[in-house]
Amino acid sequence: MSTARAERLVNLVLALLSTRQYLTADRIRGIVPGYTDAASDDAFSRMFERDKTELRELGIPLETGRNSAFDPAEGYRIARRDYELGEIELAPDEAAAVGLAVRLWDSPEMTGQAQGALVKLRAAGVEVDHGEPPVVESRVRAEPAFTPLVAAVQARQAVRFSYRRSGSAERLTRTLEPWGVVSWRARWYVVGHDRDRGAPRCFRLSRIVGDVGPAGPPGEVERPDNVNLLELIAGTGDPDPAPPTTAKLWIADQRAAGVRRRARLTGRMTVDGVAGDLAEIDLHFPESAADWIAGHGPDVLVLEPDVLAKAVRGRLESVLHHEVRR
């Protein structure tokens, strides 16, 4: 959203909140900064309609009505009682659950939104203890395609992406009208109408390769009424689950306890003078495991498969380059 439009929307909200009377469109055009720039009546009408839609999508209760039976045109206002946030009260266990939920996200986009929600709660007078040492590790990991797909769902915009089927290196281009992004059995899926197949389909986000791009203008996707996204995913049964990949690792002594719990120790080896265990671990989602393994830094070394070793090395090099730029 442009700065000029954002300022105009704020001015519109302030004007509609500051009066108990219904303001007609002509009156709003005369008192709200930003609307006087409209080149014609039609341009103002289109601008005002877009702004009303934007406010309603933001959850702002925009009312329409007439101040009396003699008014020739409808007006608009925002009832303060409906706009203001009610008092928030959380029991100690509820506040603890909120703090725990903030820690669970392990992607930059969702972590930022979770922290923003925490700030809003504190601004409302609700103190959530977020300073205690964590008792759980972050486990809700979002794939790179998560953010653009959620944005496409909100914008009701079709998307196009490359998709890798299980057990095959072939990448197929899919064009999808997305209805929603949901989690099912610890995996993220996007559900919608597949234009290539002409039918509803779901796609696992971990198999989307590369960028997700637009395939049409915003606002053209219509989600069917009463559609249950989870039922659509459960009905597919994920017919082509990927077989587990056995990864061979080196784990430094007394390090990476989380990896050790899932691994089978097979021997001993010394790497750069550091003693450690050789181990094997079965991974159903190697692409997601790369983030998890890289989080242990030099304490875990991937020996096989080579594609996983390169993925982990790439993540560590990315962190290193980021620190150097700082």
Side-chain angles (χ1 to χ4, degrees), residues 75-107:
Y76 306 88
R77 72 180 182 186
I78 298 174
R80 187 174 294 273
R81 65 181 182 277
D82 297 329
Y83 179 78
E84 292 178 342
L85 181 66
E87 184 176 356
I88 300 175
E89 295 182 359
L90 294 179
D93 57 340
E94 294 172 330
V98 171
L100 180 62
V102 170
R103 298 173 186 171
L104 285 176
W105 287 102
D106 193 32
S107 66

Side-chain angles (χ1 to χ4, degrees), residues 7 11 40 44 51 56 73 101 106 127 146 149 168 180 246 249 255 280 315 323:
E7 291 178 351
N11 290 328
S40 64
F44 163 72
D51 289 350
R56 291 190 173 103
D106 193 32
E127 187 57 36
F146 180 90
L149 286 174
S168 173
T246 300
L249 313 173
R255 298 290 183 178
E280 292 183 349
R315 283 157 173 78
E323 292 297 326

Side-chain angles (χ1 to χ4, degrees), residues 21-203:
Q21 302 292 317
Y22 291 102
L23 300 180
T24 64
D26 289 340
R27 178 63 174 158
I28 290 172
R29 184 180 183 180
I31 65 175
V32 175
Y35 288 124
T36 54
D37 298 334
S40 64
D41 292 344
D42 289 341
F44 163 72
S45 179
R46 291 192 298 269
M47 185 187 303
F48 187 47
E49 289 299 322
R50 287 196 301 268
D51 289 350
K52 287 191 297 180
T53 300
E54 183 75 22
L55 292 183
R56 291 190 173 103
E57 289 180 350
L58 290 172
I60 297 176
L62 193 63
E63 294 184 346
T64 60
R66 289 181 169 84
N67 296 313
S68 71
F70 302 101
D71 287 341
E74 285 190 335
Y76 306 88
R77 72 180 182 186
I78 298 174
R80 187 174 294 273
R81 65 181 182 277
D82 297 329
Y83 179 78
E84 292 178 342
L85 181 66
E87 184 176 356
I88 300 175
E89 295 182 359
L90 294 179
D93 57 340
E94 294 172 330
V98 171
L100 180 62
V102 170
R103 298 173 186 171
L104 285 176
W105 287 102
D106 193 32
S107 66
E109 300 86 357
M110 299 307 298
T111 298
Q113 295 185 31
Q115 292 291 346
L118 197 63
V119 170
K120 292 178 181 179
L121 283 174
R122 285 175 173 163
V126 180
E127 187 57 36
V128 178
D129 186 6
H130 191 55
E132 292 297 323
V135 295
V136 296
E137 297 180 1
S138 299
R139 298 192 61 186
V140 184
R141 297 181 175 89
E143 306 292 341
F146 180 90
T147 299
L149 286 174
V150 169
V153 171
Q154 295 173 340
R156 295 167 46 216
Q157 185 174 26
V159 293
R160 183 175 292 110
F161 51 82
S162 295
Y163 191 73
R164 174 183 55 81
R165 295 193 61 185
S166 175
S168 173
E170 183 183 8
R171 300 178 183 180
L172 302 176
T173 300
R174 296 297 186 193
T175 303
L176 184 73
E177 298 177 4
W179 298 338
V181 177
V182 295
S183 178
W184 170 255
R185 295 182 177 177
R187 304 166 187 168
W188 288 106
Y189 294 85
V190 59
V191 185
H193 177 76
D194 187 341
R195 289 182 176 176
D196 303 298
R197 299 179 180 178
R201 288 292 187 272
C202 60
F203 298 92

Side-chain angles (χ1 to χ4, degrees), residues 204-253:
R204 192 190 301 180
L205 267 59
S206 63
R207 295 180 185 162
I208 294 178
V209 182
D211 297 332
V212 176
E220 70 172 1
V221 174
E222 293 293 339
R223 173 174 168 172
D225 295 333
N226 302 320
V227 64
N228 189 313
L229 303 183
L230 287 177
E231 286 185 357
L232 287 175
I233 296 174
T236 64
D238 201 9
D240 57 348
T245 299
T246 300
K248 296 183 178 181
L249 313 173
W250 171 85
I251 308 173
D253 284 346

